[in-house]
Amino acid sequence: MAPVVHGLEQQYAGRIDFLYLNVAVPRNDSARQALGFRATPHFFLLDDRGTTRTSMQGVVPEDSLRSALGALVGARAKSPTTQR
């Protein structure tokens, strides 16, 4: 999944921030618990307010991930409160 995710990160640079957390590292425990992490890999797409909009577990088809990211960008573009 790494090559797909890194490719999408480049494609959405400046529009979506990608953050990678290693759940085995204790300093990430609070993020893991807050998000409800359950599997590796586990993708959480958050809006500007930190609300989880989409969560996907396991190996996700590239087109599904691309579609979810596109929907997130589209929702941000329609929001009158989005400032970036």
Side-chain angles (χ1 to χ4, degrees):
M1 290 268 0
V4 169
V5 173
H6 291 297
L8 291 169
E9 181 177 16
Q10 289 178 344
Q11 179 183 343
Y12 286 97
R15 295 183 290 163
I16 294 179
D17 296 322
F18 284 66
L19 177 65
Y20 302 88
L21 296 176
N22 182 339
V23 296
V25 176
R27 73 174 177 255
N28 295 327
D29 284 350
S30 62
R32 179 181 51 77
Q33 291 171 357
L35 292 169
F37 175 85
R38 293 199 174 114
T40 301
H42 199 153
F43 301 96
F44 297 93
L45 280 64
L46 310 177
D47 64 17
D48 288 343
R49 297 179 184 180
T51 302
T52 301
R53 293 299 182 194
T54 304
S55 174
M56 298 181 230
Q57 297 179 33
V59 177
V60 177
E62 180 177 355
D63 59 335
S64 296
L65 193 51
R66 184 180 306 278
S67 176
L69 291 169
L72 186 63
V73 169
R76 291 179 70 201
K78 294 176 186 174
S79 172
T81 60
T82 300
Q83 295 180 350
R84 213 164 153 130

